[in-house]
């Protein structure tokens, strides 16, 4: 996909993805760029319904394959209705999670065969791949504590409005309820993808002030844009 700009943000729970997507959008908009903020799972009404199903702690046990197929059903709709049209119109798409999250959660940590992941990716995403992926790297215990604090803020009406309706009584979705060891696997998985695809992925230390992280994100995006223009 040539026109437009497609950047994804990846990382564990509470790493700061939603925060950094918002801050980067503000910065790009200040430079006159037309920005679309979106997220996965989700981004379209159908995909948001799939999100609610996938994240609900009360959903019945199912296999990593059934889960991956749901993610790709949502992703197909999202790419077709939002991402491709925005790219074709020359807009900048900032997506909070994308295929790397499926690879990490369902394949690396969830056991889905890598060949099946690759086949789904080829079938559904094809050339609609992000040209830049920012991986926010953070000790999962710190990230989960942030996510917990976000829930308390949201419950008291001070949060960023991102409280999940698809959560348990304590406000945690199905992934947030997993043991720390699972979250450690996710972290290692994202770092493995970054090592495998250094041209697309940049790892940023997320264990700093949001403003410091944002400054590094901006520097990475700015360099990317300059490289692309040159
Ligand atoms: N760099 C940071 N340092 C401390 N808290 C942060 C930082 N970035 C975000 N937060 C806060 O941590 C919580 C989780 O951040 P969020 O951006 O929602 O993470 P994610 O989308 O990766 O789950 C939010 O309450 C947010 O305000
Ligand atoms: Mg988020």
């Amino acid at each position: 996909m040539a026109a437009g700009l497609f950047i994804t943000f990846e990382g564990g729970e509470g790493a700061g993805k939603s925060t950094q997507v918002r801050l980067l959008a503000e910065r790009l908009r200040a430079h006159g760029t037309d920005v679309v903020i979106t997220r996965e799972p989700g981004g379209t009404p159908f995909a948001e319904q799939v999100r609610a199903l996938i994240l609900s702690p009360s959903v019945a046990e199912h296999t990593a394959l059934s889960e991956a197929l749901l993610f790709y059903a949502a992703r197909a709709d999202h790419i077709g209705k939002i991402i491709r049209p925005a790219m074709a119109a020359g807009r900048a798409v900032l997506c909070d999670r994308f295929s790397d999250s499926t690879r990490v959660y369902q394949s690396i940590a969830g056991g889905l065969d890598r060949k099946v992941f690759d086949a789904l990716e080829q079938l559904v995403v094809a050339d609609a791949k992000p040209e830049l992926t920012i991986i926010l790297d953070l000790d999962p215990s710190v990230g989960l504590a942030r996510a917990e604090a976000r829930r308390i803020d949201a419950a008291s009406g001070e949060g960023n409005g991102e409280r999940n309706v698809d959560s348990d009584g304590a406000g945690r979705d199905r992934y947030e309820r997993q043991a720390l060891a699972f979250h450690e696997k996710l972290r290692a998985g994202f770092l493995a993808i970054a090592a495998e695809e250094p041209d697309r992925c940049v790892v940023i230390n997320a264990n700093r002030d949001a403003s410091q992280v944002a400054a590094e994100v901006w520097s990475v995006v700015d360099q990317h844009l300059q490289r692309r223009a040159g």
Side-chain angles (χ1 to χ4, degrees), residues 47-196:
E48 291 289 336
Q49 283 187 293
V50 175
R51 177 190 181 95
L53 175 65
I54 290 173
L55 296 183
S56 169
S58 60
V59 74
E61 276 303 309
H62 52 283
T63 64
L65 176 60
S66 22
E67 187 151 285
L69 291 168
L70 281 177
F71 272 107
Y72 276 95
R75 186 161 295 142
D77 195 53
H78 187 211
I79 291 172
K81 292 210 177 84
I82 303 290
I83 298 176
R84 283 193 186 278
M87 292 291 292
R91 306 175 79 187
V93 177
L94 308 185
C95 192
D96 186 339
R97 293 196 184 277
F98 195 63
S99 297
D100 295 320
S101 282
T102 313
R103 185 165 159 209
V104 166
Y105 282 69
Q106 277 68 50
S107 183
I108 296 174
L112 178 75
D113 192 318
R114 171 71 192 272
K115 288 199 196 87
V116 176
F117 169 83
D118 286 345
L120 289 170
E121 185 68 9
Q122 184 51 42
L123 178 71
V124 172
V125 175
D127 65 339
K129 292 187 194 310
E131 59 188 75
L132 177 65
T133 296
I134 309 260
I135 294 174
L136 296 174
D137 181 53
L138 185 64
D139 181 329
S141 59
V142 177
L144 290 167
R146 283 184 189 173
E148 185 74 33
R150 175 182 62 198
R151 273 190 297 279
I152 292 163
D153 281 356
S156 67
E158 288 167 28
N160 58 10
E162 213 204 336
R163 182 159 194 232
N164 287 322
V165 289
D166 38 45
S167 59
D168 65 356
R172 289 175 308 214
D173 70 32
R174 207 159 49 81
Y175 296 119
E176 288 170 333
R177 288 159 56 99
Q178 299 285 328
L180 194 59
F182 174 79
H183 294 279
E184 300 280 7
K185 269 193 203 165
L186 302 177
R187 183 188 196 186
F190 284 119
L191 294 176
I193 292 175
E196 205 177 287

Side-chain angles (χ1 to χ4, degrees), residues 131-132 198-199 202 220-230:
E131 59 188 75
L132 177 65
D199 291 342
V202 178
V220 165
V221 170
D222 193 38
Q223 276 171 40
H224 175 79
L225 292 174
Q226 284 179 31
R227 220 180 315 126
R228 213 170 75 139

